[in-house]
Amino acid sequence: LGIVDFDKIDISNIHRQPLFSPNLVGEMKAMVAAVKLQEINPFIKVKAHNLRLDAKNGETVIKDYDLILDCTDNMQTKFLVHDLCFKLRKPLISASVYKEEGQIRTFKPGSDEGCLRCYSKATPDDALLGNCNDFGVLGATTQILGSIQASEAIHFLNEGTNATLGKTLFMNLKTLTQIQIKNTKHAECSVCQGNVEIKISELEVGI
């Protein structure tokens, strides 16, 4: 199990990131998470990648893993991880939250379920969408979506498929409603066809 994060624990993280506690504020997230998970399950191997994932180091980090879980909170990083997975032919399970809503989708390069670039060739601007820092998010929301994402990962590793490969799950935890929308592939999508270009940018990208 590999954990990628360059950031330090902040008091604002505590309510939605249960591996951390107030006495650990200021410590490196990846290092603390690795230690905590090793304590919970001493029979697994955990590696902390204490770095800022970007287009230069992303392939080196991702290539050693069988399945990638995207738990990031910004579109630039989500699309970078997505593109790296399609370039390296790695399955990806992506989870996103917004206030009391969330969605989960599994991507499998080479399948007929499409990719993010089928819907948006350009990476969306986070400034137009907002994030948890701007609008807030309940800790319960992230933990429910994270638990479903983990369950989907176990199913995929065991069976090679899961419920969110063919359909994206959308949940509203305020109204306790959910829907599933079929994933579709754009016939002319270059990323689905295996032509993935990872653009090197001077902008720093966090995960």
Side-chain angles (χ1 to χ4, degrees), residues 4 51-62 80 84 200:
V4 184
L51 54 81
R52 187 186 294 268
L53 191 81
D54 57 31
K56 296 179 181 178
N57 62 31
E59 290 188 42
T60 301
V61 174
I62 288 176
L80 172 63
L84 287 168
I200 304 295

Side-chain angles (χ1 to χ4, degrees), residues 60-100:
T60 301
V61 174
I62 288 176
K63 67 180 179 63
D64 293 329
Y65 296 96
D66 298 317
L67 175 65
I68 309 303
L69 272 64
D70 162 37
C71 313
T72 60
D73 61 0
N74 66 86
M75 288 297 175
Q76 189 174 18
T77 309
K78 284 186 178 298
F79 273 73
L80 172 63
V81 173
H82 166 275
D83 292 348
L84 287 168
C85 285
F86 271 78
K87 182 176 182 179
L88 297 173
R89 314 297 283 180
K90 298 286 187 178
L92 164 71
I93 303 178
S94 181
S96 303
V97 297
Y98 180 78
K99 295 185 178 180
E100 295 173 273

Side-chain angles (χ1 to χ4, degrees), residues 171-188:
M171 299 187 69
N172 186 317
L173 295 177
K174 186 173 184 179
T175 60
L176 292 181
T177 56
Q178 66 181 51
I179 60 173
Q180 288 181 286
I181 297 179
K182 181 177 175 56
N183 300 327
T184 57
K185 179 179 179 180
H186 193 292
E188 299 178 358

